[in-house]
Structure formats: structure tokens, C-alpha cells
């Protein structure tokens, strides 16, 4: 029995010898994936001797799949992720041409991976554009299935756009489209179910780890029913399902209104002292400013798809850029999870032994943590930190480090094995 199973709680049960499907990835995938595998294998040996091990099962997707099978995303690959529950992937080329969905989107939709989880922390030694990158320690829960990303849009000048405009004006009485004849239209669906399952998973994650706060980031001041709905539904989950363990700033505002600011401050202080998770909200543009000014005020972030896209990249840049930012797409209810390099196939440096394997490697660290194999995960992050502190890294990071030594992808992998 080498397969991960998922219990009722959505938590994985992992056998000591476990088969994990992986997609090598296109472009630089062929360089980062072997480094990731060898470092993970070495960390497992170091942490558990012969007791625990991963048997890697390659599944095909992207260019490699197309060249060998004629399909960009073969059914066997989908089936492997369905069956094995947890897997990891390198970057995939988005096939050019009409009618072909992005492979990443296809995988996410097929397994309903509703959380895009991006932890963002700084590693000592990595040069950052901000003064105190050590204050950045956030966990972004980006909603992965709704919002403007649902792909419901019509191009200006098409019969569909015309039909939609007619519906808006004639049936819905909309008069606010500024230039109706030349407008394209997009639809932004945001549901209570979709918002609440995302926020519920983020709350559980924060509570399990004893993190101090969860912030709902939204543009509810402008989009009252979609973004504002997300905020209100998020607060509802915290207050209705986690009442004993959280304190919401919506509750704070209600106390303030009823009984005054002093009473509200006292309630907040009592909740803090009792170790309750503080649930707050902030408008997305203010949040982006605050991440630069007061990053220490934020821990877990729950947000909709488009905001999450911008936020992930800005926060990644604050701690060293996309070469080092890990990520995962997870369904916390079914337990399905795909860990992935967050960057693309980097065709401009592919095959040159230049690419930084850290994004995929840190995604593997997230995967080990998800599996409960924390000892091996910590060994890998410690080995990486040791290399960075000595100024030894791939060129994307080493070029900014004082006295930095540029290592090739393979040599950086060797360095980590040595540190392990
Ligand atoms: P990209 O992320 O591949 O590259 C952007 C820039 O960052 C390039 O200069 C590249 O050299 C650099 N870079 C990226 N990763 C790096 C790393 N690990 N180390 C050092 N430098 C790194 O983005 P792109 O050029 O816009 O996209 C190329 C292809 O990748 C496209 O086909 C796109 O659709 C695909 N893509 C896939 C994914 C994915 O599979 N998750 C994500 C983004 C883009």
C-alpha cells in the first residue's frame, strides 16, 4: 500500500513508502526537477534512514506528453493525480492555438483545487528590495475557482457582446455602460460557498499553526456584492463556526457602536491575551501599501482570485522573486493537492544550467509538510538557508548578494546535498 489516503477530516494518511506522481515540466523543468528529487531523497534519508521514502512516479504533461502521446494532458496523468491525491509539477508551456486550455487551469478545474496557497517568507542571505524583509511572513490563500478568472467574457464587436449589452440595457435597466458600442464584457461570479470554503480552510490552517491573524483582503468598497460579499461571508464563517477561537474586527466594530471604543478595545485585548485568532479585513489597495510599510501586521491572507494574483507576485518580489516562491493548489476537503514551481518554463535560460530550482524545491518542502514529514522539510530549508548565508546561489540571487558566488543549477543542488 503505497498510496496516500484521505480521512473524513480531509487530512492525508501517508504510508512510510509512498508513491508520488510528478510532472517534470517543460523548458527548465528538466533541470529543476532532478535537483528537487535528489535533495528531497537525501533529506528523507537523513531524517528517517530507511524507514520513509518516496517512490517517484513520472506522469506526462505539456510538451513532453505531446511529443510522446499526441496529447498535452493525457488521461493517465489526470487519473494519477486523482488516485495518488498528492503530486508535484514543474512549469508547463501553455500550448498556443485556439481551443486548448491552459494545462494548469485544466488540472485545477478537474480536481477542484480551490485554494492556491503561497507561503511567503524571507531567507537570511537573500537580498531584498525592502529594508526589513525578515518581517515578511505571510500565507496567502488565493481563491482558485471563481472571480473574473472564470473566463466568462465577450469581445467588443461580437454578436455575443451585443447580445449581452442588449440584455443589460433592455432587461436589467443598466444605463451605466460608458461606451456601449465598443465595450467588451466580463462576468465576475463570486459565491458564498466558494468564499466560505476558502476562508474556512484558511481559518483552520491559521488555528492549527497558532498564527496570530487572518486578513480578508477585498475591494468591497467598489464591488459590494462580489468582493464585499466575500468579506461578509468570510466574517460569517469565523463568527458562526469558529466563535470560541476567533475574534473578528466586525465584532469589534459592533461593540464599539453599542458600548463605545473603550469596551471594544478591552474585548480585543482579552481576545488577544486568550490567544484567539484575530480576523480582520482590509481593502486590497491599502493592503498592498501596508505590505511595504507594516508587513508584520499580516499573517494569513484570504482573498479572491485576481487580488491573490497581484498580491502573490508583490510579496514574492519582497523576499527574492519568483525563482524562490513556492506554491500549491489544494482542495482541503478531498485532500487533493498539487505542489508546483510558481514560475514559468523560462525558455530564455532553459538548457543553460542557470535556473534557480528553489521554487520547486520549496514547493516540495510544502508537500512534505502537508504529508506530515516535517523533519525532512526543515532539513531542506536549513540547507538552503546555509547556502544563501554564504552567498552561494544561482545567478538570479547571487548577483545581488555582496560577494555572492554564482552556482549553476546542478552545482547549487550539490551544495544543498553537502549542507544536508
Ligand atoms: P517565466 O516565469 O517562465 O519567466 C519570466 C522571467 O523570469 C524570465 O526572464 C525567466 O528567465 C525568469 N525566471 C523564471 N523562473 C526562474 C527561475 N526559477 N530562476 C531564474 N530565473 C527565472 O514566465 P514567461 O516567460 O512569461 O512564460 C514562459 C512560459 O511559461 C509560457 O509558456 C507560460 O505560459 C508558461 N508559464 C507556466 C506556468 C506554470 O506552469 N505554472 C506559470 C507561468 C508561465
Amino acid at each position: 500500500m503505497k498510496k496516500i489516503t484521505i480521512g473524513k477530516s480531509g487530512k492525508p494518511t501517508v504510508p512510510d513508502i509512498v508513491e508520488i506522481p510528478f510532472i517534470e515540466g517543460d523548458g527548465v523543468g528538466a533541470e529543476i526537477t532532478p535537483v528537487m528529487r535528489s535533495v528531497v531523497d537525501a533529506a528523507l534519508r537523513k531524517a528517517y534512514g530507511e524507514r520513509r521514502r518516496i517512490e517517484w512516479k513520472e506522469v506526462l504533461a505539456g510538451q513532453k506528453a505531446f511529443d510522446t502521446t499526441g496529447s498535452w494532458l493525457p488521461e493517465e496523468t489526470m487519473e494519477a493525480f486523482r488516485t495518488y491525491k498528492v503530486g508535484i509539477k514543474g512549469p508547463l508551456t501553455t500550448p498556443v492555438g485556439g481551443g486548448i486550455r491552459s494545462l494548469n487551469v485544466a488540472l485545477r478545474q478537474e480536481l477542484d483545487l480551490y485554494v492556491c496557497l503561497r507561503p511567503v517568507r524571507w531567507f537570511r542571505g537573500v537580498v531584498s528590495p525592502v529594508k526589513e524583509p525578515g518581517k515578511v511572513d505571510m500565507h496567502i490563500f488565493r481563491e482558485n475557482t471563481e472571480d473574473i478568472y472564470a473566463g466568462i467574457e465577450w469581445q467588443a464587436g461580437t454578436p455575443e457582446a451585443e447580445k449581452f449589452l442588449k440584455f443589460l440595457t433592455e432587461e436589467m435597466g443598466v444605463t451605466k455602460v460608458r461606451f456601449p458600442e465598443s465595450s467588451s464584457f466580463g462576468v465576475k461570479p463570486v459565491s458564498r460557498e466558494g468564499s466560505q470554503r476558502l476562508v474556512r480552510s484558511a481559518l483552520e490552517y491559521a488555528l492549527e499553526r497558532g498564527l496570530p491573524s487572518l486578513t480578508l483582503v477585498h475591494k468591497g468598497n467598489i464591488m459590494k456584492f462580489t468582493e464585499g460579499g466575500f468579506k461578509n461571508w468570510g466574517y460569517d464563517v469565523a463568527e458562526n463556526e469558529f466563535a470560541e477561537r476567533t475574534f473578528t474586527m466586525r465584532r469589534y466594530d459592533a461593540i464599539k457602536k453599542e458600548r463605545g471604543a473603550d469596551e471594544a478595545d478591552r474585548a480585543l485585548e482579552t481576545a488577544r491575551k486568550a490567544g484567539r485568532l484575530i480576523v480582520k479585513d482590509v481593502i486590497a489597495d491599502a493592503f498592498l501599501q501596508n505590505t511595504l510599510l507594516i508587513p508584520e501586521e499580516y499573517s494569513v491572507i484570504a482573498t479572491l482570485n485576481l487580488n491573490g494574483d497581484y498580491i502573490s507576485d508583490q510579496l514574492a518580489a519582497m523576499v527574492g522573486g519568483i525563482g524562490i516562491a513556492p506554491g500549491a493548489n489544494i482542495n482541503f476537503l478531498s485532500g487533493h493537492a498539487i505542489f508546483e514551481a510558481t514560475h514559468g518554463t523560462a525558455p530564455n535560460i532553459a538548457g543553460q544550467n542557470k535556473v534557480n530550482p528553489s521554487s520547486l524545491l520549496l514547493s516540495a518542502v510544502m508537500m512534505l509538510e502537508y504529508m506530515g514529514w516535517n523533519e525532512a522539510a526543515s532539513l531542506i530549508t536549513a540547507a538552503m538557508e546555509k547556502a544563501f548565508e554564504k552567498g552561494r546561489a544561482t545567478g538570479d540571487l547571487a548577483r545581488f548578494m555582496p560577494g555572492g558566488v554564482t552556482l549553476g543549477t546542478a552545482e547549487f543542488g550539490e551544495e544543498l546535498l553537502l549542507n544536508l
Side-chain angles (χ1 to χ4, degrees):
M1 185 48 207
K2 295 177 185 168
K3 286 188 188 135
I4 291 176
T5 50
I6 307 292
K8 276 216 179 73
S9 62
K11 294 267 179 294
T13 303
V14 183
D16 282 338
I17 297 170
V18 62
E19 229 175 323
I20 298 284
F22 73 96
I23 295 170
E24 180 182 78
D26 296 324
V28 292
E31 294 160 84
I32 57 177
T33 299
V35 170
M36 181 277 291
R37 283 177 54 185
S38 64
V39 172
V40 169
D41 288 343
L44 291 175
R45 268 196 305 279
K46 174 99 180 158
Y48 312 117
E50 291 305 308
R51 188 163 67 86
R52 280 180 170 163
R53 143 169 83 78
I54 289 178
E55 287 185 358
W56 299 98
K57 176 186 168 65
E58 179 162 13
V59 292
L60 299 178
Q63 194 70 51
K64 198 168 175 182
F66 186 73
D67 293 345
T68 38
T69 71
S71 160
W72 289 96
L73 189 55
E75 175 50 30
E76 290 93 311
T77 300
M78 285 293 198
E79 188 51 36
F81 284 110
R82 269 196 293 269
T83 312
Y84 289 90
K85 310 281 191 294
V86 172
I88 187 160
K89 62 174 276 293
L92 295 173
T93 306
T94 303
V96 187
I100 304 172
R101 281 189 303 174
S102 151
L103 303 176
N104 296 304
V105 173
L107 279 167
R108 268 172 225 167
Q109 285 181 348
E110 173 72 19
L111 298 172
D112 195 19
L113 305 173
Y114 63 87
V115 174
C116 175
L117 175 58
R118 297 276 181 91
V120 188
R121 57 158 286 203
W122 176 68
F123 285 87
R124 271 198 302 277
V126 174
V127 175
S128 152
V130 298
K131 275 192 197 147
E132 296 181 289
K135 288 183 174 175
V136 181
D137 186 6
M138 296 186 215
H139 310 253
I140 307 163
F141 276 67
R142 167 183 171 191
E143 207 290 324
N144 229 356
T145 64
E146 297 195 296
D147 199 355
I148 208 79
Y149 281 65
I152 310 167
E153 52 174 9
W154 300 285
Q155 194 176 2
T158 60
E160 289 82 5
E162 207 173 300
K163 194 170 175 185
F164 188 68
L165 175 66
K166 199 161 174 248
F167 167 73
L168 284 181
T169 48
E170 291 178 11
E171 292 192 39
M172 303 300 289
V174 172
T175 55
K176 292 186 206 162
V177 182
R178 179 69 184 81
F179 297 108
E181 301 312 321
S182 63
S183 287
S184 292
F185 296 97
V187 176
K188 178 182 172 84
V190 175
S191 68
R192 180 169 50 77
E193 282 94 330
S195 300
Q196 293 195 330
R197 68 177 179 172
L198 186 273
V199 175
R200 191 176 293 117
S201 296
L203 284 164
E204 281 165 356
Y205 179 98
L207 288 166
E208 264 171 32
R209 286 162 182 75
L211 296 169
S213 70
L214 180 145
T215 306
L216 303 161
V217 180
H218 61 91
K219 280 292 289 178
N221 54 332
I222 304 298
M223 293 166 270
K224 301 212 184 309
F225 303 124
T226 50
E227 300 264 339
F230 174 79
K231 175 187 80 169
N232 290 329
W233 291 321
Y235 272 138
D236 289 347
V237 179
E239 289 171 2
N240 298 337
E241 298 175 28
F242 300 85
E244 306 291 309
R245 304 174 68 194
T246 62
F247 182 84
T248 69
M249 292 312 282
R250 187 169 74 174
R251 174 105 192 89
Y252 174 94
D253 289 337
I255 298 173
K256 191 171 161 186
K257 208 167 155 202
E258 277 169 28
R259 293 179 260 155
D262 287 351
E263 193 73 18
D265 285 342
R266 264 197 295 281
L268 177 59
E269 199 44 39
T270 309
R272 279 220 171 94
K273 280 202 182 118
R276 287 196 187 194
L277 176 74
I278 306 301
V279 181
K280 50 191 173 178
D281 76 277
V282 62
I283 306 283
D285 39 297
F287 174 74
L288 285 171
Q289 172 176 264
N290 290 351
T291 56
L292 291 167
L293 300 174
I294 41 168
E296 67 276 19
E297 304 248 321
Y298 300 105
S299 175
V300 177
I301 308 304
T303 192
L304 286 171
N305 215 332
L306 180 62
N307 297 329
D309 199 354
Y310 302 146
I311 290 168
S312 302
D313 276 25
Q314 176 180 310
L315 292 179
M318 286 167 64
V319 295
I322 52 171
I324 194 176
N329 296 298
I330 306 179
N331 181 321
F332 281 95
L333 300 169
S334 71
H336 283 108
I338 301 182
F339 297 81
E340 65 172 1
T342 56
H343 54 79
T345 56
N348 55 333
I349 53 168
Q352 299 173 33
N353 194 33
K354 281 185 182 166
V355 62
N356 186 349
S358 299
S359 171
L360 188 64
L361 202 45
L362 287 169
S363 302
V365 166
M366 287 175 74
M367 179 176 81
L368 293 172
E369 286 168 352
Y370 186 75
M371 290 160 54
W373 292 7
N374 296 316
E375 300 79 5
S378 305
L379 284 173
I380 298 173
T381 42
M384 290 174 73
E385 200 144 38
K386 196 165 169 186
F388 297 146
E389 276 181 308
K390 286 194 276 184
R392 296 175 69 77
T394 45
D396 56 314
L397 299 181
R399 67 191 158 141
F400 299 118
M401 294 170 167
V405 180
T406 295
L407 303 178
T409 310
E411 290 69 34
F412 180 67
E414 295 293 326
E415 178 87 11
L416 298 183
L417 293 177
L418 214 76
N419 290 349
L420 277 170

